């Protein structure tokens, strides 16, 4: 029996607890029972799984490691191929960085060395440009950096420095333009503004300022009383030379020098001296003797040579010999005869845009009964400056050729004819000859008396004087004309940007005119340019007859500043 008080066990038949006398029960309470849990046996399959679990985990680890290694090898192969492709495409920066990340994979270390060596000249060029910029040689720095960026457009040091240098150059050009404007040095103002406009072609403020300077202040060059003068449309005139019988002054392509012919009144009629002087009146020097003193010296596009008609092999006392086409090199002083005794009388030289050839007219000599000679019907030729090879380009299709002018932008020639004497009823004519196709086009004219035609700087137009006071402007799309109130000389010169042209008076102090051909077409601005209007000293030139060569290909920014 079980005591409910002290929980002791008593005899089965006892009535009271022998220990405490408390009441008894037949069985202990549930809480006092001792429970026995049946034993459980682990199944054999589960036991095997448990025993194999470490091996399975180890195998999974090996599998994961193998997969990771395979993925890494695949990634390195892709990265190597990308770096190799970048190297082949000339992207040295991407190639160098790609091989550097590959460490010892395959021959990445050797390829890294190759990329580093190939990149070194560009790094050196960037440092040279940085040094040039520090010396304010911004054009040199930009030219060097453009070459780097052209080859390596993602090379951050070059791209960043190029932007910085261009900003510095702009600040310097703005300061230079302002300083030159204060002193009235209008060509210096124009050069600074032109450089600004080239570097910032969308800046309308700079473009408008440049156009105004060119039309209102860009100087003419001309001769009067044997002195070479510069004068602006605003009336400012200054003498460039002393009185020295100077005639036919001619701008070089960049308008930094002027060539002219010094005549010798007491000497032979065909005896002139070719001279050159800087724009500030310094560095006057003689280049050649026995120069025909009746037309402009013709500058090569790069400004290093001058072509002219030479009488060095002509005997004036016997009216015998040749007048040849000569070229003199300004750097070496070397004078070259391009035609020799192959032609009797070469005249009117005009350079091709690339400076490789010269067009000219060769006349025949006819002897009169009194023993004197006169020029007869001319023929237009082109001579190769390097080889001296001659080509007859008009091929007898034109009569009385007297003057030729090569387009400043392509292979077209303007040919002007003059009858052998004024009693000839045949009027002067203008022809357009395409050298590429040999096609010849006669330009319709409207008067018996014409001036020579003059190309605009962009080659899109040419202009000439018709009669005494009408200026005709031709383009492929048609013709325009302007009539002025006074008689004009048969000479025209364009502004350097082609937006206007200058027509000279035929009298010393009669008004000449600036005529816009842009959106202000029809306006007439009279001005007085006191040049020798007799034609013996040459008319005013506003822009060079030969312009610098155009860039051969578009640059990164499409500007003239780029090499």
């Amino acid at each position: 029996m079980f005591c409910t008080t002290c929980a002791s066990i008593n005899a089965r038949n006892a009535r009271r607890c022998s220990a405490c006398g408390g009441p008894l029960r037949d069985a202990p309470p549930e809480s006092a029972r001792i429970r026995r849990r049946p034993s459980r046996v682990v199944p054999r399959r589960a036991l095997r799984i448990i025993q194999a679990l470490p091996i399975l985990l180890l195998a999974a680890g090996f599998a994961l490691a193998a997969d990771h290694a395979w993925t890494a090898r695949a990634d390195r192969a892709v990265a190597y191929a990308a770096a190799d492709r970048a190297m082949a495409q000339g992207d040295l920066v991407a190639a160098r960085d790609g091989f550097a990340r590959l460490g010892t994979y395959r021959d990445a270390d050797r390829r890294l060395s190759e990329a580093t060596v190939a990149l070194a000249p560009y790094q050196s060029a960037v440092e040279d440009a940085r040094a040039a910029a520090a010396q304010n040689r911004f054009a040199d720095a930009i030219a060097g950096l453009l070459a780097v960026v052209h080859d390596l457009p993602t090379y951050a040091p070059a791209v960043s420095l190029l932007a910085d240098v261009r900003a510095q150059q702009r600040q310097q050009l703005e300061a230079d333009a302002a300083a030159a404007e204060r002193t009235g040095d209008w060509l210096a103002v124009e050069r600074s503004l032109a450089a600004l406009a080239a570097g910032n072609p969308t800046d309308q403020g700079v473009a408008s300022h440049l156009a105004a300077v060119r039309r209102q202040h860009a100087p003419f060059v001309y001769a009067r009383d044997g002195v070479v003068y510069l004068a602006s449309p605003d009336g400012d005139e200054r003498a460039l030379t002393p009185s020295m019988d100077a005639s036919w002054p001619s701008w070089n392509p960049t308008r930094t020098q002027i060539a002219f012919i010094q005549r010798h009144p007491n000497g032979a009629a065909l005896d002139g001296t070719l001279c050159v002087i800087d724009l500030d009146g310094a560095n006057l020097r003689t280049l050649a003797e026995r120069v025909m003193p009746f037309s402009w010296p013709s500058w090569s596009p790069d400004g290093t040579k001058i072509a002219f008609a030479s009488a060095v092999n002509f005997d004036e006392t016997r009216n015998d010999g040749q007048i040849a086409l000569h070229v003199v090199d300004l750097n070496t002083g070397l004078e070259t005869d391009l035609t020799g005794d192959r032609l009797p009388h070469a005249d009117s030289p005009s350079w091709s845009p690339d400076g490789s050839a010269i067009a000219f007219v060769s006349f025949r000599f006819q002897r009169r009964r009194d023993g004197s000679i006169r020029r007869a019907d001319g023929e237009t030729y082109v001579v190769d400056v390097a080889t001296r090879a001659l080509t007859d380009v008009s091929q007898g299709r034109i009569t009385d050729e007297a003057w030729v002018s090569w387009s400043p932008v392509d292979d077209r020639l303007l040919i002007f004819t003059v009858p052998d004497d004024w009693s000839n009823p045949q009027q002067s004519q203008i022809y357009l000859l395409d050298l590429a196709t040999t096609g010849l086009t006669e330009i319709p004219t409207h008067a018996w008396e014409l001036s020579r035609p003059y190309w605009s700087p962009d080659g899109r137009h040419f202009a000439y004087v018709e009669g005494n006071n009408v200026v005709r402007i031709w383009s492929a799309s048609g013709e325009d004309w302007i009539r002025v109130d006074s008689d004009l000389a048969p000479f025209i010169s364009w502004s350097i940007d082609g937006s206007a042209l200058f027509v000279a008076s035929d009298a010393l102090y009669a008004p000449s005119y600036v005529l816009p051909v842009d959106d202000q077409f029809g306006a007439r601005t009279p001005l007085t340019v006191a040049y020798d209007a007799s034609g013996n000293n040459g008319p005013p030139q506003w822009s060079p007859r030969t312009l610098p060569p155009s860039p051969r290909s578009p640059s990164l920014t499409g500007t003239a500043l780029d090499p």
Side-chain angles (χ1 to χ4, degrees):
M1 300 295 284
F2 179 77
C3 177
T4 60
T5 302
C6 67
S8 62
I9 302 300
N10 293 272
R12 184 173 183 81
N13 296 323
R15 300 181 65 89
R16 293 279 179 180
C17 177
S18 60
C20 67
L24 301 175
R25 295 185 62 177
D26 288 338
E30 185 68 23
S31 60
R33 292 180 184 174
I34 300 173
R35 296 181 181 179
R36 289 187 176 181
R37 299 180 181 273
S39 62
R40 296 180 180 179
V41 178
V42 178
R44 290 183 178 181
R45 181 177 299 175
L47 182 60
R48 293 193 188 100
I49 292 174
I50 292 173
Q51 292 173 341
L53 185 60
I55 298 174
L56 293 174
L57 290 175
L58 184 60
F62 280 127
L64 289 174
D67 181 69
H68 178 74
W70 184 90
T71 302
R73 283 196 300 271
D75 289 344
R76 285 197 295 271
V78 171
Y80 184 93
D84 183 64
R85 186 166 53 252
M87 191 75 173
Q89 294 172 351
D91 190 349
L92 301 179
V93 175
R96 179 199 63 184
D97 294 345
F99 288 127
R101 286 191 292 267
L102 289 170
T104 59
Y105 178 74
R106 290 178 59 177
D107 61 345
D109 52 350
R110 179 180 64 82
R111 303 298 302 279
L112 172 60
S113 178
E114 291 176 356
T116 302
V117 169
L119 190 59
Y122 296 103
Q123 294 172 321
S124 178
V126 170
E127 293 309 311
D128 290 344
R130 197 183 308 277
Q135 298 170 5
N136 293 336
R137 294 187 291 111
F138 301 120
D140 293 339
I142 289 172
L145 290 169
L146 282 171
V148 175
V149 172
H150 179 271
D151 291 348
L152 305 177
T154 61
Y155 189 36
V159 174
S160 175
L161 184 58
L162 178 59
D164 291 343
V165 173
R166 279 182 163 152
Q168 295 175 51
Q169 184 192 48
R170 180 180 178 85
Q171 294 175 356
Q172 185 63 57
L173 289 170
E174 290 172 344
D176 291 346
E181 192 162 351
R182 286 192 294 270
T183 61
D185 187 352
W186 294 108
L187 282 179
V189 174
E190 182 187 334
R191 283 192 290 270
S192 295
L193 292 176
L196 278 171
N200 303 273
T202 61
D203 192 327
Q204 293 302 312
V206 171
S208 298
H209 191 185
L210 175 60
V213 167
R214 283 173 164 166
R215 190 170 298 182
Q216 299 170 16
H217 303 291
F220 308 100
V221 59
Y222 54 88
R224 184 179 73 245
D225 300 327
V227 178
V228 176
Y229 287 92
L230 294 176
S232 300
D234 57 13
D236 181 27
E237 180 186 74
R238 68 182 178 91
L240 190 63
T241 69
S243 180
M244 55 184 299
D245 294 308
S247 63
W248 295 93
S250 175
W251 288 114
N252 76 334
T254 56
R255 289 180 297 166
T256 55
Q257 292 180 306
I258 294 169
F260 62 93
I261 299 173
Q262 182 182 19
R263 295 183 299 181
H264 305 293
N266 298 326
L270 304 183
D271 192 10
T273 299
L274 178 61
C275 302
V276 171
I277 193 170
D278 291 346
L279 196 60
D280 59 359
N283 198 24
L284 174 63
R285 53 188 172 135
T286 297
L287 295 178
E289 300 290 350
R290 295 287 289 165
V291 178
M292 294 282 285
F294 306 125
S295 63
W296 290 293
S298 183
W299 290 84
S300 63
D302 63 4
T304 63
K305 301 177 181 66
I306 297 176
F308 57 93
S310 172
V312 70
N313 292 321
F314 187 82
D315 187 337
E316 292 173 80
T317 60
R318 295 185 302 164
N319 287 324
D320 189 35
Q322 293 81 35
I323 295 175
L325 179 63
H326 281 210
V327 168
V328 62
D329 189 307
L330 275 71
N331 295 323
T332 65
L334 179 64
E335 186 174 342
T336 304
D337 184 346
L338 295 182
T339 57
D341 60 0
R342 293 181 291 173
L343 297 171
H345 183 183
D347 200 7
S348 177
S350 181
W351 291 81
S352 64
D354 64 1
S356 66
I358 301 174
F360 64 98
V361 174
S362 177
F363 298 95
R364 293 183 294 108
F365 283 135
Q366 287 185 345
R367 192 170 296 277
R368 298 185 177 94
R369 291 181 180 179
D370 61 2
S372 64
I373 60 174
R374 70 179 183 89
R375 298 190 316 180
D377 179 28
E379 191 79 1
T380 303
Y381 287 83
V382 168
V383 60
D384 186 290
V385 175
T387 67
R388 306 186 196 180
L390 282 173
T391 304
D392 182 351
V393 295
S394 55
Q395 300 177 346
R397 293 177 290 173
I398 306 174
T399 303
D400 298 323
E401 292 153 83
W403 189 80
V404 62
S405 179
W406 205 313
S407 165
V409 296
D410 54 33
D411 285 338
R412 292 179 298 159
L413 303 180
L414 281 173
I415 300 174
F416 179 64
T417 70
V418 176
D420 55 359
D421 61 66
W422 289 107
S423 64
N424 190 325
Q426 178 66 39
Q427 71 178 43
S428 292
Q429 294 172 299
I430 299 172
Y431 292 89
L432 191 59
L433 174 60
D434 189 325
L435 292 175
T437 65
T438 71
L440 185 67
T441 303
E442 182 179 352
I443 304 300
T445 55
H446 310 277
W448 183 79
E449 187 177 359
L450 305 174
S451 78
R452 301 169 181 176
Y454 295 87
W455 287 107
S456 63
D458 60 8
R460 296 171 54 201
H461 305 83
F462 62 82
Y464 58 96
V465 176
E466 186 178 74
N468 294 324
N469 59 356
V470 173
V471 178
R472 287 201 175 269
I473 305 163
W474 180 95
S475 70
S477 59
E479 282 189 329
D480 289 306
W481 61 275
I482 304 172
R483 187 184 301 275
V484 299
D485 298 328
S486 58
D487 289 345
L488 300 174
F491 301 107
I492 289 175
S493 186
W494 290 81
S495 64
I496 192 67
D497 61 357
S499 68
L501 49 83
F502 170 79
V503 289
S505 166
D506 71 343
L508 181 59
Y509 290 104
S512 300
Y513 294 89
V514 170
L515 306 175
V517 296
D518 52 14
D519 54 0
Q520 301 178 40
F521 180 78
R524 302 164 182 81
T525 303
L527 67 157
T528 298
V529 178
Y531 78 104
D532 182 356
S534 68
N536 293 328
N537 286 335
Q541 272 195 357
W542 201 5
S543 63
R545 294 181 62 236
T546 307
L547 297 175
S550 300
R552 292 186 179 273
S553 60
S555 63
L556 295 177
T557 58
T559 77
L561 291 179
D562 297 344

